[in-house]
Amino acid sequence: MRVAVRQCPIDRRPLPQRAATAAARPLKRYLSEQAARPRGIGGRLIGRLWITETATVNDAAIALLAPTHGEHILEIGFGPGRALGMISSRGATATGIDVSEAMVTLAGQRNRDQIRTGALRLCVSDGATIPLPNDSVDAVMSVHNVYFWAEPRTTIDEIARVLRPGGRVLLVFRGREHPLPGRLDPTIYRSVTTNDVETWLLDAGFTDIETKSTPSAPTEISFVIANLQP
Ligand SMILES: C[S@@+](CC[C@H](N)C(=O)[O-])C[C@H]1O[C@@H](n2cnc3c(N)ncnc32)[C@H](O)[C@@H]1O
């Protein structure tokens, strides 16, 4: 009988370094879980940090999406809601959905006035089940989200369902053709490449699919924009 012997890599680093790596693992998992669905005090704190941390990428996203007065814009996974505030300040009506109750509360506090006037509506929901009627949205935006979607094809089909014919979608993310930063847990940040996203959009009936980068955002960030077939 032949026995297959597989060699396991041996970590030969000094003990303190190995101990530091082991200790960082739970923290990495905690932070990645919070990014996927912020909760509790830690989640609220992280949400507040995103207001500045993701500002450059969100500003570039809004410039590309170019929401205009009277349009209805949906944002999936809005986090602290900074982008939604900017969208409604341009005279568009906005709907935001996010799986995190903590983010709905945080974004609601931040955009109290727009919610009061009806310019903005927020709800706890997954992108795979968007609580909006067919053909009711002019554009959909989602930043740093696709990695967390358990059913990315279903979510993109949902985006196509709620968009009016000719409507546009913008998905912004760090594609896995670039290495995942060491601080992020790969079991939570699923491996999604720019090519995967382009394929899913094509299969869902989108056209004019273009991947852009912008000078203000890091080059590893993909801005994939597309139109639903008219
Ligand atoms: C990394 S944060 C990004 C937040 C914000 N877009 C930004 O750029 O600052 C990801 C957000 O997406 C939300 N999220 C994750 N999976 C989601 C899903 N399937 N549907 C809707 N929201 C989701 C999380 O709760 C979290 O608020």
Side-chain angles (χ1 to χ4, degrees):
M1 189 178 67
R2 299 183 86 195
V3 179
V5 177
R6 199 156 16 116
Q7 296 228 314
C8 298
I10 298 170
D11 190 346
R12 296 187 191 283
R13 291 174 305 157
L15 184 62
Q17 273 184 34
R18 278 186 279 151
T21 306
R25 225 172 275 138
L27 179 64
K28 178 164 147 172
R29 184 159 189 88
Y30 172 78
L31 292 174
S32 297
E33 280 172 356
Q34 286 288 10
R37 183 183 294 220
R39 59 190 87 196
I41 296 173
R44 290 200 294 278
L45 194 68
I46 287 173
R48 284 182 200 282
L49 292 177
W50 287 333
I51 293 171
T52 46
E53 195 184 298
T54 65
T56 311
V57 169
N58 276 282
D59 289 352
I62 291 172
L64 263 177
L65 195 72
T68 56
H69 195 273
E71 282 194 315
H72 181 200
I73 311 292
L74 167 68
E75 183 178 11
I76 301 176
F78 50 76
R82 176 181 175 273
L84 283 171
M86 291 172 68
I87 289 167
S88 56
S89 73
R90 291 183 171 214
T93 303
T95 299
I97 64 170
D98 198 296
V99 288
S100 161
E101 277 184 33
M103 291 303 100
V104 171
T105 305
L106 187 62
Q109 288 163 351
R110 192 180 166 82
N111 297 292
R112 211 173 274 123
D113 293 345
Q114 291 93 325
I115 292 175
R116 198 169 26 78
T117 61
L120 172 61
R121 205 169 64 104
L122 301 179
C123 54
V124 177
S125 179
D126 193 297
T129 51
I130 302 173
L132 288 174
N134 296 355
D135 305 348
S136 59
V137 167
D138 296 292
V140 177
M141 157 173 151
S142 191
V143 178
H144 287 313
N145 244 252
V146 289
Y147 346 93
F148 307 127
W149 294 350
E151 304 166 55
R153 281 186 180 272
T154 308
T155 306
I156 289 177
D157 284 345
E158 270 293 270
I159 292 173
R161 179 185 68 76
V162 299
L163 271 177
R164 64 163 171 78
R168 57 205 190 280
V169 62
L170 173 65
L171 301 177
V172 181
F173 54 96
R174 185 190 178 97
R176 196 58 83 77
E177 59 275 17
H178 303 287
L180 190 68
R183 66 178 190 283
L184 306 178
D185 186 328
T187 63
I188 296 167
Y189 279 78
R190 293 193 186 87
S191 176
V192 176
T193 64
T194 302
N195 193 42
D196 290 332
V197 171
E198 290 173 346
T199 305
W200 296 334
L201 287 169
L202 191 65
D203 292 349
F206 285 88
T207 58
D208 311 320
I209 302 165
E210 259 190 279
T211 296
K212 306 190 180 209
S213 55
T214 75
S216 58
T219 48
E220 313 88 69
I221 305 292
S222 295
F223 294 76
V224 183
I225 192 155
N227 293 319
L228 190 62
Q229 276 167 5

